[in-house]
Amino acid sequence: MHLEDLAEKAAEFRAEEAGIQREVRVCVAASCQSSGSLAVMEALEDACGDGKGTCRVKGVGCMGLCSAGPLVSIADKDCSLDESVLYRDVTPADAPEIMGSVCGSPVERLRCPTDQPFFARQHKIVLENSGFIDPDSFKGYVAVGGYAGMVRALSEMTPADVLREVTTSGLRGRGGGGYPTGLKWSTVAKMPAGQKYVICNADEGDPGAFMDRAVLESDPHRVLEGMAIAAYAVGANKGYIYVRAEYPLAVERLQTAIRKAKRAGFLGSKVADTQFSFEVEIRLGAGAFVCGEETALMASIEGLRGQPRPRPPYPAESGLWGCPTLINNVETFANIAPIVREGGDWFASIGTERSKGTKVFALAGKIRNTGLIEVPMGTSLRDIIEIIGGGIPDGKAFKAVQTGGPSGGCIPEAHLDIPVDYDSLKTLGTMMGSGGMIVMDETSSMVDVARYFMEFCMTESCGKCIPCRTGTWQMHGLLDAIAKAQGTHADLALLEELCEVVQATSLCGLGQTAPNPVLSTLRYFRDEYEEKLQRAEL
Amino acid sequence: MPLPATQPNVRVVTLKIDDLDLSAREDETLIEVCRENKIPIPSLCHLDGLSVWGGCRLCVVELEGQNRLLAACSTRVAEGMRVHTNTERLQRYRRTLIELLFAERNHICSVCVSNGHCELQWLAQKCGVDHVRVPYRQQPYPVDSSHEMFRLDHNRCVLCTRCVRVCDEIEGAHTWDVMGRGSDCRVITDLARPWGESDTCTSCGKCVQVCPTGALVKQGTSVGEMVKDQHFLPILARRRHAR
Ligand SMILES: Cc1cc2nc3c(=O)[nH]c(=O)nc-3n(C[C@H](O)[C@H](O)[C@H](O)COP(=O)(O)O)c2cc1C
Ligand code: SF4
Ligand code: SF4
Ligand code: SF4
Ligand code: FES
Ligand code: FES
């Protein structure tokens, strides 16, 4: 199949819907579903009737402003979210009024402005189709240019060409570490030909993070396309998607996507009528955070206990069942199709010197607009929190923002102007992580924050290595005592010493980074610890 | 006449460990080279003849030019490596790790059948651990005395998984596994059934011999009587690999 054939198919799918002019798009991603969007959709469908064939109600993926859900947007068929009329907090009872407004003036009572910075300041690559296409529709994805990256790679490029584009793009892994994706792919590609695997890491276990879930629920074909391109580039013919079982909707949409892509000949044997074959299987994780670590994840796929093992050998050399394996995060794969479609140089023109492209963040905590955003790398934290996020509600003052989940750290007001990229965050003692951003106001106690994350690491430690298994237990005990104003200066000294030992000696990233929240809150908010100690020693 | 056996293509590398210039086969790990050359490195989960585990972290060493520490048991040698095995920093880390182990479960040596023959005690002595600064966890765990010959005392277990590996890799029974998370991990027999009811255990006793502490012992031993013998392991392991 060539690009022209695909374009023809896309045109055909669009023609099937030529009669439809207006669309009523209802968010059916998990967050809006939990606030009742399915009932809203049903009511809208009832109110629509057959819509005289020119209007349709369509379920779409996440529109970003999840805290205002259920969200419904009304637009001409080809118009994006910015150009639509957006309604927030919609209930089934609003359906007749909303349907009545499809061709008339909007229902002001429910309106949510789309020219506000929350929407206007975003730059969407990963989420370009999110909130726009029906995630369960294969035709819908192709109609907006889906699978063009894969067909282009298979029909016009050699694997080496694909590797070159991905390397040129400067894309770095979105799973937390920020390892250069092109380099990882080339390493797997250079391993001798034979059985190789591609794995998509969708285990997303950081508290407060839901970026990967949103991508899978809103645009699952994009991830499959990225994986297929990766498999072609590195010489693999089999892929696994490791999703946590707590994401049933994502799993269901992925299953549908795989089934439909296979039926259309875009997965399976002879993909798009070429010699390339690629099978994809879903594996469910049972919710252990450590199973997101790549070696533990592979052990879990193999049916073993999900526990990390020493690296090297890295998965690229010896991964699943000892075969060379490429493992990337959901968002990493979601960037691949646009890179192949538009070229690596295009991607590299977005972002900063050493962090290219965009990053999806999940805004949570004490912030007005909680939800999902995508911004170019290098956007300042202040812009994200104060402008896009709308600042702190209830007239409270900002205190700190936590990035990188249990492996990251807190950033105080004084550093809010730094650009968000892998290296700047590291210099502040935190990390990009997978994209969770928890905002805290003046009422939050930083000792409590450190204790919360330490408790998380303690309960999620797999128990394989001594420093993490028992060190996190000890550190949690010390933090608990300090938080309850029962700790002494000697306790704090011991805590700092344990931080150093656990960081330096743990086997995997979980233990190595578990002290980070403590170290960073000590770095910027030491006075809060001191104050608690003084109270204890009075 | 049979052809002369071709030499497997393994190269020899040179490296420097604590001021000693050494040579090693490129497929050797740092701990193997250290043991050959009588350079002491504390270790608990490693045992010659079993697969690499990398869990105790006592064997960490420093590599010049690299910030991150390496576990000697799971790091292969490389040409030109410069390794330090006993710096002040490493000694301090190792002492802390051993303290953490003592505080994690119940180690009252004076009433333990392994007293005087216990690898954890030896490590503490060698690394200079004379007291424990972290609070004890004080969490009681059960004792399984259901096996007619052996006994398992979780309160003395350091979760090194030597028993799991020897049973799976050498005896081939795979009776043992680990269940749970964090400090509540426990070694289990079959699907967490009492050891005495195990269908898979052959009562060979290998797990008891390789266990570094008083967690796996023979029935009927009293304080200080449990002496272990691990000489069988490298021999059996080599025979197995030769096959
Ligand atoms: C404790 C732990 C948990 C992790 N969890 C995840 C996860 O949920 N999702 C993910 O993509 N990567 C996770 N990672 C990172 C992976 O090990 C791996 O680096 C990543 O999947 C590589 O993909 P990338 O290069 O695309 O970032 C985790 C790492 C550690 C140490
Ligand atoms: S650092 Fe923690 S999670 Fe990682 S291997 Fe060690 S005990 Fe397991
Ligand atoms: S197992 Fe070793 S360290 Fe623990 S009580 Fe027995 S002799 Fe002491
Ligand atoms: S029972 Fe003994 S050999 Fe088994 S894990 Fe515990 S300490 Fe190690
Ligand atoms: S889930 Fe509906 S807007 Fe995010
Ligand atoms: S001997 Fe190396 S980690 Fe235990």
Side-chain angles (χ1 to χ4, degrees):
Chain A
M1 180 184 285
H2 293 278
L3 275 173
E4 300 80 59
D5 307 322
L6 184 73
E8 218 168 86
K9 245 188 196 331
E12 190 184 303
F13 294 156
R14 278 196 298 269
E16 286 175 16
E17 308 178 330
I20 293 171
Q21 283 155 14
R22 298 281 280 172
E23 276 184 346
V24 178
R25 304 184 190 133
V26 187
C27 174
V28 289
S31 173
C32 284
Q33 273 204 14
S34 66
S35 48
S37 71
L38 288 183
V40 170
M41 181 149 161
E42 215 170 292
L44 284 168
E45 273 166 347
D46 286 347
C48 180
D50 63 2
K52 300 194 201 70
T54 61
C55 172
R56 82 165 150 201
V57 179
K58 180 166 97 172
V60 296
C62 179
M63 303 189 198
L65 199 57
C66 311
S67 57
L71 290 176
V72 173
S73 79
I74 298 182
D76 282 347
K77 195 172 58 193
D78 300 318
C79 285
S80 65
L81 185 61
D82 315 0
E83 301 154 301
S84 70
V85 174
L86 186 65
Y87 295 128
R88 55 179 297 165
D89 301 307
V90 178
T91 61
D94 300 324
E97 213 178 331
I98 289 178
M99 287 318 295
S101 80
V102 165
C103 299
S105 50
V107 187
E108 291 303 333
R109 172 174 72 83
L110 298 169
R111 201 129 174 227
C112 177
T114 52
D115 54 359
Q116 57 172 313
F118 182 85
F119 296 104
R121 290 290 297 271
Q122 296 197 41
H123 183 137
K124 296 197 170 175
I125 296 175
V126 170
L127 301 175
E128 61 184 351
N129 295 333
S130 191
F132 182 58
I133 64 166
D134 174 357
D136 278 335
S137 165
F138 169 78
K139 292 181 176 180
Y141 183 65
V142 172
V144 295
Y147 285 111
M150 184 185 83
V151 171
R152 168 144 200 258
L154 295 183
S155 64
E156 297 178 0
M157 298 164 85
T158 63
D161 292 335
V162 178
L163 293 175
R164 205 169 312 119
E165 287 304 324
V166 175
T167 306
T168 309
S169 76
L171 176 65
R172 293 169 68 173
R174 301 295 193 236
Y179 191 80
T181 305
L183 183 58
K184 197 186 261 187
W185 287 27
S186 310
T187 315
V188 182
K190 287 203 176 92
M191 294 299 292
Q195 182 65 57
K196 295 181 187 178
Y197 296 99
V198 169
I199 299 176
C200 173
N201 187 342
D203 195 51
E204 194 167 57
D206 291 17
F210 53 93
M211 300 77 50
D212 295 348
R213 185 186 74 187
V215 172
L216 294 172
E217 286 174 356
S218 307
D219 199 3
H221 283 284
R222 155 181 302 265
V223 178
L224 298 179
E225 184 179 358
M227 288 179 74
I229 294 170
Y232 174 69
V234 304
N237 64 4
K238 173 103 204 178
Y240 290 94
I241 306 178
Y242 190 88
V243 201
R244 46 199 283 131
E246 290 94 327
Y247 285 178
L249 188 60
V251 173
E252 198 186 301
R253 299 225 162 118
L254 270 173
Q255 276 164 341
T256 307
I258 293 172
R259 185 165 38 81
K260 292 192 176 172
K262 240 175 138 163
R263 197 182 308 147
F266 281 50
L267 277 183
S269 59
K270 296 202 185 299
V271 173
D273 308 324
T274 63
Q275 289 310 306
F276 169 69
S277 296
F278 186 54
E279 297 284 347
V280 179
E281 257 184 63
I282 298 176
R283 287 294 157 99
L284 297 188
F289 175 61
V290 74
C291 284
E293 196 279 340
E294 53 193 29
T295 58
L297 186 150
M298 293 186 305
S300 173
I301 292 183
E302 289 177 22
L304 304 171
R305 184 175 155 87
Q307 253 176 349
R309 60 155 174 79
R311 299 174 306 173
Y314 287 93
E317 189 190 327
S318 173
L320 212 48
W321 292 292
C323 301
T325 302
L326 174 73
I327 173 160
N328 275 129
N329 167 261
V330 171
E331 194 183 328
T332 313
F333 281 124
N335 274 299
I336 297 301
I339 287 174
V340 173
R341 211 173 59 210
E342 315 278 337
D345 288 322
W346 160 78
F347 192 84
S349 70
I350 306 161
T352 65
E353 180 65 33
R354 301 199 52 229
S355 303
K356 301 300 187 190
T358 58
K359 181 76 194 81
V360 180
F361 290 103
L363 287 181
K366 302 288 176 58
I367 187 156
R368 207 164 272 134
N369 301 328
T370 60
L372 210 63
I373 60 162
E374 180 172 2
V375 289
M377 292 278 190
T379 307
S380 79
L381 272 172
R382 195 179 295 283
D383 280 359
I384 295 180
I385 292 162
E386 291 177 2
I387 300 185
I388 301 177
I392 317 296
D394 307 326
K396 294 273 186 341
F398 170 87
K399 186 171 201 177
V401 54
Q402 217 278 349
T403 69
S407 317
C410 295
I411 302 165
E413 164 84 29
H415 294 289
L416 273 193
D417 288 310
I418 67 131
V420 175
D421 61 47
Y422 290 100
D423 310 295
S424 308
L425 288 175
K426 231 177 237 162
T427 61
L428 293 182
T430 177
M431 59 188 257
M432 178 80 82
S434 55
M437 242 187 218
I438 304 173
V439 180
M440 287 163 276
D441 70 12
E442 54 190 324
T443 60
S444 317
S445 151
M446 302 317 276
V447 182
D448 287 349
V449 171
R451 178 179 58 177
Y452 167 77
F453 282 112
M454 191 55 75
E455 184 178 1
F456 180 84
C457 291
M458 173 180 78
T459 44
E460 293 298 332
S461 164
C462 78
K464 176 165 179 174
C465 70
I466 301 171
C468 170
R469 179 178 83 219
T470 95
T472 53
W473 186 88
Q474 293 286 358
M475 290 191 286
H476 177 259
L478 292 167
L479 283 166
D480 193 45
I482 296 172
K484 290 179 175 148
Q486 293 163 354
T488 61
H489 277 92
D491 288 338
L492 183 58
L494 184 58
L495 176 66
E496 292 194 85
E497 191 186 330
L498 286 175
C499 281
E500 183 193 341
V501 177
V502 173
Q503 196 169 50
T505 60
S506 286
L507 168 60
C508 87
L510 195 157
Q512 288 160 6
T513 59
N516 286 359
V518 182
L519 292 171
S520 96
T521 47
L522 273 171
R523 179 164 158 189
Y524 298 115
F525 302 96
R526 200 177 183 95
D527 50 327
E528 292 195 20
Y529 285 81
E530 295 284 346
E531 193 198 321
K532 301 242 183 203
L533 297 181
Q534 260 138 29
R535 267 201 279 152
E537 285 170 4
L538 272 183
Chain B
M1 209 175 83
L3 291 168
T6 45
Q7 278 294 316
N9 196 11
V10 188
R11 287 185 315 166
V12 171
V13 298
T14 57
L15 71 164
K16 192 164 185 151
I17 304 182
D18 297 341
D19 300 326
L20 289 176
D21 285 305
L22 302 169
S23 65
R25 277 201 336 264
E26 66 172 355
D27 61 353
E28 282 183 291
T29 58
L30 282 173
I31 210 168
E32 287 168 337
V33 180
C34 288
R35 295 275 144 91
E36 269 169 40
N37 293 284
K38 306 259 181 302
I39 301 170
I41 288 199
S43 68
L44 189 55
C45 63
H46 170 86
L47 200 57
D48 185 16
L50 297 183
S51 61
V52 172
W53 183 241
C56 75
R57 315 310 287 168
L58 288 168
C59 68
V60 284
V61 296
E62 287 177 23
L63 180 64
E64 271 182 35
Q66 183 181 317
N67 222 346
R68 184 156 285 181
L69 303 178
L70 297 173
C73 66
S74 45
T75 305
R76 285 206 194 290
V77 296
E79 181 60 42
M81 259 184 173
R82 287 163 166 270
V83 179
H84 300 278
T85 67
N86 207 20
T87 62
E88 183 278 327
R89 175 173 165 229
L90 292 173
Q91 291 175 8
R92 186 159 52 86
Y93 289 174
R94 288 172 186 149
R95 278 199 304 272
T96 309
L97 292 176
I98 293 170
E99 286 178 51
L100 285 170
L101 269 187
F102 273 102
E104 185 178 33
R105 299 221 170 158
N106 174 321
H107 292 282
I108 314 287
C109 302
S110 54
V111 295
C112 179
V113 291
S114 284
N115 194 7
H117 313 282
C118 166
E119 292 186 38
L120 183 57
Q121 272 186 335
W122 296 337
L123 280 168
Q125 283 156 8
K126 268 189 277 187
C127 297
V129 178
D130 42 21
H131 66 294
V132 174
R133 295 163 306 156
V134 292
Y136 280 78
R137 238 177 112 239
Q138 312 274 20
Q139 172 84 18
Y141 288 91
V143 177
D144 182 349
S145 301
S146 60
H147 195 286
E148 59 180 290
M149 293 162 70
F150 313 120
R151 188 169 71 231
L152 162 65
D153 183 350
H154 290 288
N155 299 291
R156 309 273 200 253
C157 173
V158 292
L159 295 168
C160 65
T161 73
R162 284 186 188 181
C163 53
V164 180
R165 286 174 286 152
V166 80
C167 183
D168 176 49
E169 296 164 16
I170 306 296
E171 178 62 7
H174 197 132
T175 300
W176 295 97
D177 264 305
V178 181
M179 71 172 246
R181 262 192 233 169
S183 275
D184 279 328
C185 276
R186 268 202 279 155
V187 289
I188 51 168
T189 42
D190 288 354
L191 296 169
R193 305 288 306 144
W195 193 0
E197 293 172 19
S198 168
D199 303 329
T200 55
C201 174
T202 62
S203 303
C204 73
K206 292 189 179 67
C207 54
V208 174
Q209 298 303 337
V210 299
C211 176
T213 67
L216 288 175
V217 296
K218 285 190 191 147
Q219 294 276 23
T221 44
S222 97
V223 176
E225 286 181 358
M226 184 65 220
V227 183
K228 300 195 177 179
D229 178 8
Q230 300 170 351
H231 288 103
F232 72 93
L233 184 58
I235 303 164
L236 270 189
R238 245 129 250 167
R239 274 196 215 144
R240 240 164 226 279
H241 293 311
R243 243 201 270 145

